């Protein structure tokens, strides 16, 4: 039997556990605060931000928001971020990406104070992370680790193959898997678009994580029996007849209404025949990414308020 990992349920249980840490903070008269900054007219980005605020309110994190005109210069965005850095009630600052093309995205992201950088994009945090002493684990890779832990998949000692080497997912995940830690100590292979014979790499792996943005690239015949598969991919493709069931996307809209559906980087049907555990798309990694943002906000508050909390 394949364990289809329910990301929504794991995320819910993590949010429930975070409430204890938030209560500990409340006992010390501290309330975690998370601010989002949106510089985009894109409907999907707006929906993602709205969801993050709903998540905050559900667990008792105070939420703040700043809009920046999508045509404004980089300086204006940087100045909004710097103002948030100065506010003690704001413990975490998240700049929603993608940013408009004219914006110097790196400059804006590096403007977030390292101690408030809940996305983990600041060079100081990337450096700490690569050195093996992370302050904030980037949300998606951390969510992948939690999903594996929940499914009872041992990372330590495993042969892990990651498909994708982005700064957002592939590279930080490789670093997490490599850490000298109980939830690390894997032997890691990182694949990318220039990898020759991807199947030769994925075959024989104990854990395969896909984050390449290529719909259904990894098929069952590329996997070994018993593999754990975590599919980070989130790809919009035209609605096909074989999937007639309507489903909600992570941005809350109905796929079929919009004429597209969401698929992962893994061909779920054939991979399920091989996998001992697998995440669906949607409903796998996506909800965990959101939950881990809350985790980082609570961690930021704990650090800045000097209150020790137990994090799940
Ligand atoms: P990205 O920045 O576009 O990076 C994609 C990576 O995949 C690159 O390293 C690329 O190689 C590699 N790649 C592309 N085609 C490949 C192929 N045919 N074989 C092997 N590797 C290939 O993407 P990303 O930001 O990491 O996102 C990846 C996917 O995850 C997307 O579908 C995205 O929507 C999804 N995502 C989901 C969440 C979530 O919370 N659910 C979060 C983040 C991302 P090169 O480096 O050689 O170009």
């Amino acid at each position: 039997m394949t364990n289809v990992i329910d990301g929504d349920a794991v995320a819910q249980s993590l949010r429930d556990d975070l409430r204890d840490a938030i209560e500990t903070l409340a006992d010390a008269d501290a309330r975690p605060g998370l601010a989002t900054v949106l510089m985009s007219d894109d409907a999907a980005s707006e929906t993602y931000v709205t969801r993050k605020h709903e998540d905050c309110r559900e667990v008792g994190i105070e939420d703040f928001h700043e809009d920046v005109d999508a045509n404004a210069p980089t300086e204006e965005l940087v100045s909004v971020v710097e103002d948030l850095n100065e506010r003690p009630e704001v413990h975490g600052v998240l700049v929603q990406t993608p940013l408009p093309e004219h914006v110097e995205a790196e400059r804006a992201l590096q403007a977030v104070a390292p101690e408030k950088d809940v996305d983990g994009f600041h060079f100081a945090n990337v450096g700490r992370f690569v050195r093996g002493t992370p302050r904030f684990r980037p949300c998606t890779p951390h969510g992948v680790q939690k999903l594996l832990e929940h499914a009872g998949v041992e990372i330590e000692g495993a042969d892990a193959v990651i498909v994708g080497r982005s700064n957002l997912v592939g590279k930080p995940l490789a670093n997490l898997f490599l850490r000298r830690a109980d939830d690390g100590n894997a032997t890691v292979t990182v694949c990318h678009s220039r990898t020759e014979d991807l199947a030769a790499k994925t075959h024989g792996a104990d854990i395969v994580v896909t984050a390449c943005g290529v719909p259904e690239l990894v098929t069952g015949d590329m996997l070994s029996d018993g593999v754990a598969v975590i599919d980070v991919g989130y790809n919009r493709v035209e609605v096909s007849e074989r999937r007639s069931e309507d489903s909600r996307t992570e941005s809350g809209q109905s796929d079929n209404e919009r004429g597209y559906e969401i698929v992962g980087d893994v061909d779920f049907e054939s991979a399920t025949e091989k996998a001992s555990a697998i995440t669906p798309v949607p409903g796998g990694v996506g909800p965990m990414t959101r939950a881990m943002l809350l985790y980082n906000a609570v961690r930021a508050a704990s650090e800045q308020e000097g209150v020790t909390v137990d994090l799940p």
Side-chain angles (χ1 to χ4, degrees):
M1 275 288 285
T2 306
N3 172 10
V4 178
I5 307 168
D6 182 345
D8 285 308
V10 182
Q12 184 61 54
S13 116
L14 195 126
R15 284 196 295 272
D16 292 343
D17 290 345
L18 276 178
R19 283 207 183 86
D20 293 338
I22 292 168
E23 265 176 38
T24 307
L25 281 161
D27 290 344
D29 279 334
R31 187 176 179 200
L34 177 69
T36 57
V37 181
L38 179 63
M39 185 181 189
S40 168
D41 296 327
D42 174 50
S45 289
E46 279 177 31
T47 310
Y48 291 142
V49 167
T50 304
R51 287 282 180 96
K52 285 167 186 165
H53 287 264
E54 287 167 1
D55 290 346
C56 284
R57 289 177 201 147
E58 185 195 319
V59 297
I61 292 175
E62 197 168 357
D63 56 312
F64 304 87
H65 178 70
E66 297 290 340
D67 274 311
V68 179
D69 190 298
N71 298 311
T74 305
E75 287 70 27
E76 198 168 317
L77 174 60
V78 168
S79 151
V80 166
V81 168
E82 286 173 348
D83 286 347
L84 289 168
N85 287 343
E86 295 301 316
R87 291 171 61 179
E89 71 278 23
V90 173
H91 302 99
V93 177
L94 177 141
V95 178
Q96 182 68 36
T97 53
L99 290 163
E101 273 191 8
H102 72 276
V103 171
E104 295 161 72
E106 198 66 87
R107 198 177 140 205
L109 297 176
Q110 298 305 319
V112 177
E115 67 276 13
K116 299 195 178 188
D117 168 39
V118 282
D119 260 334
F121 292 157
H122 195 283
F123 294 150
N125 288 326
V126 176
R128 282 181 62 148
F129 183 71
V130 173
R131 295 280 292 184
T133 53
R135 175 190 271 139
F136 299 113
R137 299 183 192 206
C139 300
T140 302
H142 195 186
V144 170
Q145 271 188 314
K146 290 283 180 195
L147 286 167
L148 288 167
E149 182 187 315
H150 177 85
V153 176
E154 276 275 312
I155 299 173
E156 183 158 16
D159 282 328
V161 169
I162 300 169
V163 186
R165 59 175 165 183
S166 70
N167 287 324
L168 187 63
V169 189
K171 276 197 264 181
L173 182 62
N175 277 296
L176 278 185
F177 278 175
L178 278 174
R179 280 185 72 220
R180 281 182 213 260
D182 291 346
D183 56 1
N185 286 330
T187 302
V188 184
T189 304
V190 183
C191 303
H192 45 80
S193 66
R194 309 292 172 91
T195 297
E196 282 185 24
D197 198 356
L198 181 64
K201 313 288 182 205
T202 53
H203 228 281
D206 305 306
I207 298 171
V208 171
V209 182
T210 55
C212 60
V214 182
E216 301 178 329
L217 175 74
V218 174
T219 49
D221 57 353
M222 297 165 69
L223 302 168
S224 295
D225 283 327
V227 63
V229 179
I230 305 289
D231 189 353
V232 179
Y234 192 83
N235 311 299
R236 286 186 167 85
V237 297
E238 271 183 36
V239 175
S240 65
E241 284 181 10
R242 75 194 159 89
R243 281 176 225 259
S244 53
E245 198 183 307
D246 202 10
S247 63
R248 301 262 143 200
T249 67
E250 280 165 24
S251 62
Q253 284 137 339
S254 163
D255 300 340
N256 288 357
E257 280 163 19
R258 311 199 109 216
Y260 63 75
E261 61 184 336
I262 299 297
V263 298
D265 295 338
V266 175
D267 175 39
F268 184 80
E269 220 171 286
S270 62
T272 303
E273 285 169 22
K274 295 285 187 67
S276 57
I278 188 167
T279 52
V281 178
V285 174
M288 286 307 286
T289 296
R290 283 166 52 192
M292 300 328 291
L293 173 66
L294 305 179
Y295 180 106
N296 280 350
V298 173
R299 183 172 176 172
S302 154
E303 251 190 39
Q304 286 160 52
E305 298 291 338
V307 179
T308 306
V309 296
D310 282 331
L311 284 168

